[in-house]
Amino acid sequence: MTVSVKAPTSTTGSIQLNGSDVLTIESDRSVDIDSGTLYVDATNNRVGIGTSSPGTKFHVSDTSTNTVKSRTQASTGYVDIGMGGNSGVFDTSASDGIRLRLSGNDAVAIDASSNFKFNSGYGSVANAYACRAWVNFNGTGTVAIRDSGNVSSITDSGVGDYRVNFSTAMPDTDYAVVGSCQGISGSDIVDFGSFGYGGSPTVTPTTSQVAVGAFAYSGAGVDTAYVSVAVFR
Amino acid sequence: MDKRIVYTNDDGTIAIIIPSQNWLAESEENTIEALAAKDVPEGKTYHIVDVSEIPTDRTFRNAWTWE
């Protein structure tokens, strides 16, 4: 094994092993170890790993996987940050999940069962039970959806009688439905019902659709201008 | 182009599917025809119509039929 120090010009130099450059010092005092494995850009005060042209203060580049990988010594635990297709991906093997902390306290967490938790004034992180579908629609005149989430359509099945069709089906039929509807001037009580309305309260929910309705005290369906539905699971 | 999908319920009344504009905008594959395939009950004959063909006076909504 031969280690040599070379200064081929007055402004550059290198350390060689068996005649090949291992460390190169460039004219601006930038240092290149193993052709970009580690690079110190002296002109711009930047460090690159996997690149000899770091674009930021600390630039890690792995063009083969587009991922920055951090491994434990035994390689069984990992934290990877990278690109998956056009998506940014944060992946970890940590069995207790992921925690984002503020001043040492958990603010947001994903536990080992993939439950998403957050504090947001609750006092501690707790499971967030998400609204999986919602819709606000006009049930009068030209029935129309004002806005919605995870709802592909509503089915107008009669006066005050609707079906909410989910874009992505629920995992089962054990979801909870809440809703409201606008009252009608000069009319008696208008109520919101799910799984069928007052006149036909026996519609069975499915994973792809739930029946909702607006009905009067008499049980008859009524059309109202504002019907809002939210589904939790 | 505001469309509706109409089919007849088992009891002879008609059902009208109102598409979510959000769903239609999610993907080029989310067309009114795709919505019919997804949300019309299996085996039902359906018709895609312009919204202008649906009456706005719902006084006798439960008596509507498809002709």
Side-chain angles (χ1 to χ4, degrees), chain A residues 19-96:
Chain A
S20 298
D21 287 348
V22 173
L23 183 151
T24 303
I25 301 172
E26 300 176 348
S27 58
D28 67 346
R29 293 178 290 110
S30 292
V31 177
D32 186 357
I33 299 176
D34 191 27
S35 301
T37 298
L38 175 64
Y39 188 89
V40 177
D41 178 345
T43 297
N44 298 300
N45 299 319
R46 296 169 178 170
V47 174
I49 293 178
T51 175
S52 56
S53 53
T56 60
K57 184 68 79 177
F58 182 57
H59 184 163
V60 180
S61 175
D62 183 344
T63 55
S64 63
T65 64
N66 285 329
T67 302
V68 178
K69 299 172 182 286
S70 172
R71 290 286 191 275
T72 61
Q73 188 171 9
S75 295
T76 54
Y78 62 85
V79 173
D80 292 349
I81 301 172
M83 294 292 292
N86 290 323
S87 300
V89 176
F90 180 92
D91 182 18
T92 179
S93 64
S95 59
D96 286 341

Side-chain angles (χ1 to χ4, degrees), chain A residues 137 177-181 190-197 211-215 227-230:
Chain A
F137 64 91
V177 182
V178 295
S180 66
C181 53
V190 176
D191 207 350
F192 171 88
S194 58
F195 311 132
Y197 74 111
V212 299
F215 57 95
V227 182
S228 300
V229 183

Side-chain angles (χ1 to χ4, degrees), chain B residues 8-61:
Chain B
T8 302
N9 289 314
D10 292 340
D11 62 3
T13 61
I14 69 165
I16 304 163
I17 292 179
I18 297 97
S20 159
Q21 296 303 315
N22 290 346
W23 185 84
L24 291 172
E26 279 177 8
S27 164
E28 290 183 357
E29 296 175 355
N30 288 3
T31 62
I32 193 74
E33 290 80 11
L35 185 68
K38 174 183 172 301
D39 289 347
V40 173
E42 193 172 347
K44 292 286 187 188
T45 299
Y46 64 85
H47 310 274
I48 296 173
V49 301
D50 193 275
V51 67
S52 62
E53 296 185 50
I54 306 295
T56 57
D57 182 349
R58 295 173 58 85
T59 305
F60 300 104
R61 168 65 183 83

Side-chain angles (χ1 to χ4, degrees), chain A:
Chain A
M1 180 172 68
T2 302
V3 176
S4 55
V5 178
K6 285 201 166 185
T9 71
S10 60
T11 56
T12 65
S14 65
I15 296 176
Q16 295 184 333
L17 178 63
N18 295 332
S20 298
D21 287 348
V22 173
L23 183 151
T24 303
I25 301 172
E26 300 176 348
S27 58
D28 67 346
R29 293 178 290 110
S30 292
V31 177
D32 186 357
I33 299 176
D34 191 27
S35 301
T37 298
L38 175 64
Y39 188 89
V40 177
D41 178 345
T43 297
N44 298 300
N45 299 319
R46 296 169 178 170
V47 174
I49 293 178
T51 175
S52 56
S53 53
T56 60
K57 184 68 79 177
F58 182 57
H59 184 163
V60 180
S61 175
D62 183 344
T63 55
S64 63
T65 64
N66 285 329
T67 302
V68 178
K69 299 172 182 286
S70 172
R71 290 286 191 275
T72 61
Q73 188 171 9
S75 295
T76 54
Y78 62 85
V79 173
D80 292 349
I81 301 172
M83 294 292 292
N86 290 323
S87 300
V89 176
F90 180 92
D91 182 18
T92 179
S93 64
S95 59
D96 286 341
I98 301 166
R99 292 181 291 168
L100 296 180
R101 312 192 87 186
L102 290 173
S103 303
N105 297 313
D106 288 354
V108 177
I110 299 173
D111 70 13
S113 299
S114 297
N115 292 313
F116 178 74
K117 305 179 176 203
F118 65 89
N119 183 331
S120 192
Y122 193 71
S124 61
V125 291
N127 278 3
Y129 298 101
C131 173
R132 299 294 189 177
W134 65 273
V135 62
N136 177 330
F137 64 91
N138 180 358
T140 63
T142 300
V143 177
I145 296 172
R146 292 189 181 87
D147 210 342
S148 63
N150 193 32
V151 167
S152 58
S153 68
I154 58 170
T155 303
D156 164 18
S157 291
V159 176
D161 188 4
Y162 313 99
R163 309 288 183 270
V164 176
N165 301 302
F166 306 130
S167 302
T168 300
M170 299 295 151
D172 52 42
T173 58
D174 295 338
Y175 49 81
V177 182
V178 295
S180 66
C181 53
Q182 186 183 43
I184 298 175
S185 178
S187 181
D188 56 11
I189 298 169
V190 176
D191 207 350
F192 171 88
S194 58
F195 311 132
Y197 74 111
S200 56
T202 57
V203 180
T204 303
T206 72
T207 57
S208 61
Q209 180 190 75
V210 65
V212 299
F215 57 95
Y217 183 74
S218 64
V222 292
D223 289 330
T224 65
Y226 288 88
V227 182
S228 300
V229 183
V231 177
F232 291 84
R233 181 66 178 89

